[in-house]
Structure formats: structure tokens, C-alpha cells
Amino acid sequence: MRWSTGWYGASGPGRAPGKGRPVPGCDAAWTVGWPPGRIRAAGSGPLALAVVGDCGADDQQLGRALERVQAKDWRALTRWPGSYLTIARRGDALAVIGDLAGQHPVYWRTENAGTWWSTSAGALAALDGAPVDPTALAAHLAFGQPDVLGQRSLFRTVNRVPTGHLLLITPEQSGAVRYEPAEYTPVNLHEAAPTVRAALSEAVAVRLGDRPVSADLAGLDSTTLACLAARSGPVAAVTFADERLRDDDLAYAVRTAATVPNLAHHTVPGSPDTVYYAAVGDLDRLPVTDAPNAYVVTASIKRAVLDTAAARTRAPGVHFTGAAGDAVLSAPSAYLADLLREGQHRRAFRHAQAHARLRHTSVLSVLRRARPASRTDLPASWRQLAATLRQAPGEWVPQAQQPVGWTPLLATAGWMSTDVRGQLANALDTAADHSAGAPRLLAAWADRQDLARVGADTSGWREIALAGQGIEIAAPFLDNEVIRACLAVPADERGAPGRYKPLLAEAFTGTGVLPGFVLSRVTKGGFNALAYAGLNQHAPVLMDLLGPSSRLAAAGLVTQAPVARMLARAAAGQPTAQGALHLAVAAEVWLRQLEAHAASSWWEVGAHAAA
């Protein structure tokens, strides 16, 4: 697993990460698993700057950025294209800055002699064998929003830097400091389009270099990236085309490859193994990740795609994915609650009419779902949620039929023991009491949480690709500047139901990058058929995984009866809480991997490490 770490203290740390490589110019900082070309620095000692990852700043720009470090203008160090970790030292202040989407998360823990920081919570926990925090894991399962418990990580004694914050360490204290506004100054869709186009183009370009390139060629998001990459050279474009999907991804991909130069198209046919959950029966084949990862559920599908890409390119290559395109280019209908909150009733009604037509329901039902969230804010909604958790869980209702919520309660919350639900309720009350600086708009909160979740999951996919095929996964929609450009457009413009992803169409129409028939596409593929096939095919494995001997069950995080009922629904082809099952399976896999992964493998202790 790739990770970075460092020590801040008056004396040496006495240990170093196993196979760690010192970061140039930064005292007591290391990377593990990162290629040397992806670690660059300027300055040294009391004035130093280093970036780890895909960073579009050249050496001269890094050198000039030392002025920004001197001025403690930390946000300016996050404005280059790409996705990277920033380490900046100015006198006795050390700033460690991750990205806005959690691909480079930052954690810390303080000891008597100083502070350890790392992009791996598991590594910091391994310093003294800190156990998993069951309440934090319960929040992960019940909410799916990474920032609900703020600075609480999945391990006891390990702190987490929330989205939009950086870690600032001084001799006096260590803590998270906000550097990104909770809400952006609104920019209308037309004005934002050139900025989005430029940010996305730069995000693709920074990853090309002389590496062979492959890309998903399926939906609108991945097609955009493939076409941008093809402007610079050959791209092996891959479409997963299992006949059970019955979508039009393949038809659009074939037509796009025939139209756009440099796109060599390859089809990945389905097989009995390319279904959900096919990989969870053999944990030894799944790479260790720092947190529960959703891609363990679809690992066999991802491997089939990556195997095809690897067969058409020489290693090491880079593979582009459209992950997070939905999160930044569109918006869920929850933004209707914000329109109602701001008194824009006519606009809310018009949008609700369009959403109702798409869902074959009534305008009244759409507005009825949105109204409760329009009358509360984030801390109040958490207190209401805490009260719900203290009650006995009711019958499962599909998320689409529940009222819109700032933090939706997932089906997994109903699978937990009474004690765990009570502990989670107490943690929510505490979080509500410390929610200063929360965004005013529901869409602003939900957008950031969606991105943080997708970013963390994409990091797991990256580990799968590196371990299996030696391929780098590139997800440009998760880059800081792409996120900023897109989310500055109000949610009701990005998610307006009359057009499909209007921001992307506005950004690229008439540029020659994408064929017109791609930009006018209004369909989107889905994997429901493969999800149900996997649930049916691998039900015995899942029952064993989540049964009485599961680690989640031992912690009271799942109970057998409701899980068995949900799996029975899936086997009968009935609507199922798929997302909740994915979360539970990924968490169980992760807990079992933690047991098998020796804590001693993270660190080296002794005179050599101290030196």
C-alpha cells in the first residue's frame, strides 16, 4: 500500500516506516511505495515544500511557491492540476495538506515527545496496536458520510483531518484547520463552463507524460476523459459489455471510437465471474486497504477491465476512469430542499414537476420528500437522527421513498444491536454540539460527502490495479481544481432535470473534443443486473461472511436476522438495500484483513531508524 508519514518533535522518533524513502528537504518525513518521480520538493529545513502524487507544478513553480509557504498561504499550495499530498514547513509550523476528495487523507496522533502524521490511519494505529473504534465504524456503516464524526477516525487514538481542512502542527498544538470554504461563491453554468473545460483538460494532461494510456469508454464522464487523452496520443479504450446489463454503453463506445482519432476500442465480455461479490470468497487475492473499500464488491469486474487494458499496453500504464463525474457534474434532487429553504417556491415547483415526470410520480410526493429537510439545518438533523437511533428500527423502506435528509440513515443502522445504536446516537449528539462552520445548504454538504466517499473508494481501486496489473488509476474528476470549478455552479443548475449533465455539454460543445452525439446522450448504464446476480450466486458466501462468526457481529454492528431477510429478498428478486449490503461486506472484509496483516510490518524500530 502507498502511504506517507512524518514526525514532528523535539527529539527523533526512534522508528521509521518499513521500506520508507525520506522526502527530500523535509526532516523526518517518508513515503512508502511511491515512485521517486512522484515525490518532488523545493527548499529545505525551516522553509521547505514537498508534493507527493500527480502534481502539475514544475520545479520552478514549486520554488516560487516557497513565498506562499513563507506567507502561510496554505490554500495556494493546493491549486495546481492533479491529485497530491502537500507537506510545507515554515519555521516551527508544519502544514500537511491532503486533497478535497480524500485520495490523500491525513491523520495524526500526539505523543508526549511529539506528533506523528500519516496518510494511513492503519499505520498510526500500528504504532501501539490501537484497536478499531466500533462507534466510528458504526457511523461509516450507518451514514456513508465520512465527515459526520469529524476528527474521529476508524481507530482509537488516531485523529482524522476532515474534508476541506489541513493538519497544522506547531510546538504549542496539533490540529485540523479549515482552508477550503464550506460553500463556494455561486457561478452560473455558462460562466463556469470554460473554467471546467480548462481544469479537466489540465487534469488529464498532467497524468499523460510518456506512459501508455488506457481508459474506460462507457458513460459520458469516462468518454470525456478518453477523448481528452486521445488528443495527445493513442488510448486503449475499454468497454465492459456484459450482455446482462442491457444498456447502450457499447453502442456509444463503438461509434465514439470510430469517430475520434487515436481511440483503439476493446470490448470486455461478461462471464459467470463478472458479478458482484465474486471476489470476497478469497480474501488473499484482495489487497489490504486503509479503510473498508466498496471496490472489493466489484473487484472481479474491475480486474476483467484492467486485464484487458494491461494486455493492450505495456506496464506501467495509466488508466482513466470517470469516477466522481456524477458527483461534480450533476446533483441529486435533494437540492429542492434548498430552493424551498430560500423561498424559491416557483422554481422548486417547476423542478419538482420535471423530477416527478422522470420518476413517474406526483409533484406533491417529490415536494413532500424535500420539505422536512428545508426546515432544519445540519446539527438539528443530527439530533433528530440520534433520537431515531434510540428507538427500535422499523421495517426497511427504500431510500427513494424516504424523506430527503442531510445525513440519510442507511439500512445497516437497523441491523445493529441496541447498544451500538445508542453509542452512535450519543456520538451524533456530540457531533451536533461541535458542528460550527457547517454549510447552510444541504447540497453543499451532500456534494462534499459524496466526493469524500468516492475518493476513498477510488483509492482502494488504485490498490487493486497496482497489485494486480501494475496500472495507475487516474480519476481527474476528483482533482481539487475540477471540484472547485464544478461545485461553484449551484446544484439546481447542475442537476436541472431538463438536460443530462448540462455543465459538461456547456463546457465542450463546439470544441471538437467530443462528438455531438455523445454530448446529446441522455442515457446512463447501470449494474443492477450484476448486483442481483452476484447476490443470488454468492448468497452462501455472504451468509457465512456476515453470519454469527463475523467480526461485525462480534462488535454488535450487524445481527443475523435482518441480514438474512435482506439476502432472501435479493434471492427472490425483490428490491434490496444493495448499498447497505455493499458497505457491510466491505467492512467485514477489511476487519478480517486487519487480523491477518501483522502490525509489525508497518514500522522499523532501532538505532538505524533513529538515525
Side-chain angles (χ1 to χ4, degrees), residues 327-340:
V328 297
L329 296 172
S330 56
S333 60
Y335 72 80
L336 292 171
D338 292 328
L339 293 180
L340 293 173

PDB file of all heavy atoms in Angstrom, residues 327-340:
ATOM      1  N   ALA A 327     -20.867  13.044  -9.264  1.00  0.00           N
ATOM      2  CA  ALA A 327     -20.873  13.874  -8.058  1.00  0.00           C
ATOM      3  C   ALA A 327     -20.615  15.345  -8.357  1.00  0.00           C
ATOM      4  O   ALA A 327     -21.132  16.222  -7.653  1.00  0.00           O
ATOM      5  CB  ALA A 327     -19.843  13.356  -7.053  1.00  0.00           C
ATOM      6  N   VAL A 328     -19.818  15.636  -9.385  1.00  0.00           N
ATOM      7  CA  VAL A 328     -19.471  17.046  -9.651  1.00  0.00           C
ATOM      8  C   VAL A 328     -20.243  17.650 -10.815  1.00  0.00           C
ATOM      9  O   VAL A 328     -20.408  18.873 -10.876  1.00  0.00           O
ATOM     10  CB  VAL A 328     -17.952  17.219  -9.907  1.00  0.00           C
ATOM     11  CG1 VAL A 328     -17.159  16.843  -8.672  1.00  0.00           C
ATOM     12  CG2 VAL A 328     -17.485  16.427 -11.124  1.00  0.00           C
ATOM     13  N   LEU A 329     -20.718  16.820 -11.737  1.00  0.00           N
ATOM     14  CA  LEU A 329     -21.368  17.349 -12.935  1.00  0.00           C
ATOM     15  C   LEU A 329     -22.884  17.433 -12.799  1.00  0.00           C
ATOM     16  O   LEU A 329     -23.541  18.110 -13.582  1.00  0.00           O
ATOM     17  CB  LEU A 329     -21.018  16.488 -14.148  1.00  0.00           C
ATOM     18  CG  LEU A 329     -19.544  16.485 -14.543  1.00  0.00           C
ATOM     19  CD1 LEU A 329     -19.299  15.449 -15.636  1.00  0.00           C
ATOM     20  CD2 LEU A 329     -19.088  17.867 -15.011  1.00  0.00           C
ATOM     21  N   SER A 330     -23.445  16.693 -11.865  1.00  0.00           N
ATOM     22  CA  SER A 330     -24.888  16.728 -11.666  1.00  0.00           C
ATOM     23  C   SER A 330     -25.162  16.883 -10.176  1.00  0.00           C
ATOM     24  O   SER A 330     -24.259  17.161  -9.398  1.00  0.00           O
ATOM     25  CB  SER A 330     -25.536  15.459 -12.222  1.00  0.00           C
ATOM     26  OG  SER A 330     -24.959  14.303 -11.652  1.00  0.00           O
ATOM     27  N   ALA A 331     -26.407  16.706  -9.775  1.00  0.00           N
ATOM     28  CA  ALA A 331     -26.768  16.831  -8.358  1.00  0.00           C
ATOM     29  C   ALA A 331     -28.059  16.065  -8.130  1.00  0.00           C
ATOM     30  O   ALA A 331     -28.949  16.077  -8.982  1.00  0.00           O
ATOM     31  CB  ALA A 331     -26.944  18.295  -7.972  1.00  0.00           C
ATOM     32  N   PRO A 332     -28.191  15.404  -6.979  1.00  0.00           N
ATOM     33  CA  PRO A 332     -29.449  14.716  -6.671  1.00  0.00           C
ATOM     34  C   PRO A 332     -30.560  15.722  -6.400  1.00  0.00           C
ATOM     35  O   PRO A 332     -30.301  16.899  -6.117  1.00  0.00           O
ATOM     36  CB  PRO A 332     -29.107  13.909  -5.415  1.00  0.00           C
ATOM     37  CG  PRO A 332     -27.961  14.642  -4.799  1.00  0.00           C
ATOM     38  CD  PRO A 332     -27.186  15.229  -5.932  1.00  0.00           C
ATOM     39  N   SER A 333     -31.796  15.252  -6.469  1.00  0.00           N
ATOM     40  CA  SER A 333     -32.935  16.157  -6.316  1.00  0.00           C
ATOM     41  C   SER A 333     -33.058  16.725  -4.911  1.00  0.00           C
ATOM     42  O   SER A 333     -33.943  17.553  -4.654  1.00  0.00           O
ATOM     43  CB  SER A 333     -34.232  15.424  -6.674  1.00  0.00           C
ATOM     44  OG  SER A 333     -34.426  14.304  -5.839  1.00  0.00           O
ATOM     45  N   ALA A 334     -32.164  16.340  -4.006  1.00  0.00           N
ATOM     46  CA  ALA A 334     -32.190  16.908  -2.651  1.00  0.00           C
ATOM     47  C   ALA A 334     -32.028  18.424  -2.664  1.00  0.00           C
ATOM     48  O   ALA A 334     -32.410  19.102  -1.696  1.00  0.00           O
ATOM     49  CB  ALA A 334     -31.094  16.268  -1.801  1.00  0.00           C
ATOM     50  N   TYR A 335     -31.496  18.989  -3.764  1.00  0.00           N
ATOM     51  CA  TYR A 335     -31.353  20.447  -3.814  1.00  0.00           C
ATOM     52  C   TYR A 335     -32.697  21.159  -3.755  1.00  0.00           C
ATOM     53  O   TYR A 335     -32.774  22.362  -3.469  1.00  0.00           O
ATOM     54  CB  TYR A 335     -30.584  20.864  -5.070  1.00  0.00           C
ATOM     55  CG  TYR A 335     -31.358  20.719  -6.364  1.00  0.00           C
ATOM     56  CD1 TYR A 335     -32.293  21.677  -6.756  1.00  0.00           C
ATOM     57  CD2 TYR A 335     -31.142  19.632  -7.209  1.00  0.00           C
ATOM     58  CE1 TYR A 335     -33.006  21.550  -7.938  1.00  0.00           C
ATOM     59  CE2 TYR A 335     -31.841  19.486  -8.393  1.00  0.00           C
ATOM     60  CZ  TYR A 335     -32.771  20.446  -8.754  1.00  0.00           C
ATOM     61  OH  TYR A 335     -33.473  20.310  -9.920  1.00  0.00           O
ATOM     62  N   LEU A 336     -33.791  20.430  -4.020  1.00  0.00           N
ATOM     63  CA  LEU A 336     -35.119  21.041  -3.905  1.00  0.00           C
ATOM     64  C   LEU A 336     -35.357  21.574  -2.503  1.00  0.00           C
ATOM     65  O   LEU A 336     -36.055  22.582  -2.312  1.00  0.00           O
ATOM     66  CB  LEU A 336     -36.200  20.020  -4.273  1.00  0.00           C
ATOM     67  CG  LEU A 336     -36.262  19.581  -5.739  1.00  0.00           C
ATOM     68  CD1 LEU A 336     -37.223  18.415  -5.904  1.00  0.00           C
ATOM     69  CD2 LEU A 336     -36.653  20.752  -6.633  1.00  0.00           C
ATOM     70  N   ALA A 337     -34.777  20.898  -1.497  1.00  0.00           N
ATOM     71  CA  ALA A 337     -34.921  21.373  -0.120  1.00  0.00           C
ATOM     72  C   ALA A 337     -34.291  22.749   0.047  1.00  0.00           C
ATOM     73  O   ALA A 337     -34.812  23.602   0.784  1.00  0.00           O
ATOM     74  CB  ALA A 337     -34.281  20.376   0.849  1.00  0.00           C
ATOM     75  N   ASP A 338     -33.176  22.999  -0.649  1.00  0.00           N
ATOM     76  CA  ASP A 338     -32.526  24.307  -0.561  1.00  0.00           C
ATOM     77  C   ASP A 338     -33.369  25.382  -1.246  1.00  0.00           C
ATOM     78  O   ASP A 338     -33.447  26.517  -0.756  1.00  0.00           O
ATOM     79  CB  ASP A 338     -31.131  24.243  -1.193  1.00  0.00           C
ATOM     80  CG  ASP A 338     -30.161  23.391  -0.392  1.00  0.00           C
ATOM     81  OD1 ASP A 338     -30.296  23.362   0.847  1.00  0.00           O
ATOM     82  OD2 ASP A 338     -29.289  22.752  -1.002  1.00  0.00           O
ATOM     83  N   LEU A 339     -33.974  25.049  -2.384  1.00  0.00           N
ATOM     84  CA  LEU A 339     -34.847  26.021  -3.049  1.00  0.00           C
ATOM     85  C   LEU A 339     -36.020  26.397  -2.148  1.00  0.00           C
ATOM     86  O   LEU A 339     -36.388  27.575  -2.049  1.00  0.00           O
ATOM     87  CB  LEU A 339     -35.358  25.449  -4.373  1.00  0.00           C
ATOM     88  CG  LEU A 339     -34.316  25.223  -5.474  1.00  0.00           C
ATOM     89  CD1 LEU A 339     -34.983  24.645  -6.724  1.00  0.00           C
ATOM     90  CD2 LEU A 339     -33.582  26.518  -5.813  1.00  0.00           C
ATOM     91  N   LEU A 340     -36.601  25.412  -1.481  1.00  0.00           N
ATOM     92  CA  LEU A 340     -37.701  25.703  -0.556  1.00  0.00           C
ATOM     93  C   LEU A 340     -37.200  26.530   0.629  1.00  0.00           C
ATOM     94  O   LEU A 340     -37.884  27.464   1.088  1.00  0.00           O
ATOM     95  CB  LEU A 340     -38.324  24.396  -0.063  1.00  0.00           C
ATOM     96  CG  LEU A 340     -39.065  23.562  -1.114  1.00  0.00           C
ATOM     97  CD1 LEU A 340     -39.469  22.212  -0.527  1.00  0.00           C
ATOM     98  CD2 LEU A 340     -40.293  24.311  -1.623  1.00  0.00           C
TER      99      LEU A 340
END
